[in-house]
Amino acid sequence: VAAVRQKLAAGQDIKIAFVGDSITLGAEAGNWWADLWTERNLGYASRVVTGLQKLFPKTAITPVAAFKGAMTTKYGVEMMDKIVLPAKPDLVFISFGGNDAGGAIGKEPRNPPDQFKEDLRIMIRKSKSAGADVILVVTMQQNPWQKNKVTERWPVYRQAMLDLAVEENVGVADCFTEWENQASHGIPPFSQLHNCINHPGKDGHKLFANVVLRFFE
């Protein structure tokens, strides 16, 4: 993310697009539907914006929202042309996977890993062709008690994101690893799932934001 870091350091105004599903929306982080892009909103996307504004007070940051609950990468590809590219962002965060790996009990995932990876590649290349830096945000593990196999499938989807970051030379914020590392501090990772299924609570969203903001400290 060298280009956007340079702009931030120079005090240049930037636009940041957030493309994703319910986690990027901020689900389960308090009143996630209110006060977007302020410190009163505890979702990780708002925390990233306000955190960057503190780190770079001379820079005006304009967020671009391209997220919606229950979506897969198919939605992200559509939003690139409808919302993201017309906004001309300097930085694009992309985060999907939980809904892609999930599905009905006894059925295949909603979006197989190979297609998931190629959809992400399309979003990355569209972003880069428009001059934007990109960071993939790898989300946490869901509750393993679910019977739709989303948890046992997740390592393959996570690895696809890690591999893609290398292949396309983009940033990757591996929040999954930081999430699992909570256990070494005496915090059971699944205790941070606010709904006990698939959404981080306010502390989980803080963890996500902290991982992302390391790119800019």
Side-chain angles (χ1 to χ4, degrees):
V1 292
V4 75
R5 281 177 59 93
Q6 185 175 10
K7 290 180 180 179
L8 288 165
Q12 298 178 26
D13 297 347
I14 67 166
K15 292 182 180 179
I16 303 177
F18 292 86
V19 189
D21 52 26
S22 55
I23 294 177
T24 306
L25 176 66
E28 312 297 343
N31 297 330
W32 68 87
W33 55 86
D35 301 314
L36 195 62
W37 315 128
T38 74
E39 290 187 328
R40 291 186 294 274
N41 186 288
L42 301 180
Y44 90 82
S46 289
R47 288 179 186 265
V48 168
V49 170
T50 58
L52 285 174
Q53 288 175 333
K54 288 181 179 179
L55 288 171
F56 304 96
K58 295 181 180 179
T59 297
I61 299 173
T62 301
V64 178
F67 41 74
K68 185 178 180 180
M71 294 295 105
T72 69
T73 52
K74 298 298 182 186
Y75 168 83
V77 171
E78 293 176 3
M79 291 302 101
M80 291 303 299
D81 292 325
K82 289 183 179 180
I83 295 178
V84 178
L85 297 184
K88 299 180 179 179
D90 301 279
L91 174 62
V92 179
F93 287 100
I94 303 172
S95 183
F96 289 96
N99 298 310
D100 298 85
I105 296 174
K107 301 294 184 180
E108 295 298 313
R110 291 176 64 187
N111 193 19
D114 289 347
Q115 187 60 55
F116 169 77
K117 184 177 181 180
E118 290 312 305
D119 288 345
L120 290 174
R121 193 187 305 275
I122 291 170
M123 286 184 262
I124 289 170
R125 291 187 174 180
K126 282 179 176 288
S127 299
K128 293 179 72 173
S129 67
D133 286 342
V134 177
I135 296 178
L136 301 177
V137 180
V138 183
T139 61
M140 77 292 146
Q141 187 181 42
Q142 296 187 26
N143 196 315
W145 296 342
Q146 296 181 83
K147 297 180 180 180
N148 63 355
K149 297 186 177 181
V150 63
T151 302
E152 62 187 77
R153 291 171 182 160
W154 183 237
V156 176
Y157 287 80
R158 170 180 173 266
Q159 191 61 51
M161 298 180 80
L162 299 180
D163 292 344
L164 192 56
V166 175
E167 294 167 15
E168 298 294 332
N169 192 29
V170 298
V172 58
D174 186 11
C175 299
F176 171 89
T177 295
E178 191 74 3
W179 182 273
E180 294 300 301
N181 283 345
Q182 294 180 100
S184 65
H185 302 291
I187 302 173
F190 298 122
S191 71
Q192 302 305 299
L193 288 168
H194 179 86
N195 62 355
C196 295
I197 303 172
N198 58 354
H199 292 146
K202 60 182 180 64
D203 291 334
H205 278 275
K206 182 179 180 181
L207 180 150
F208 274 47
N210 288 344
V211 174
V212 170
L213 288 170
R214 289 176 193 162
F215 279 90
F216 307 98
E217 294 174 345

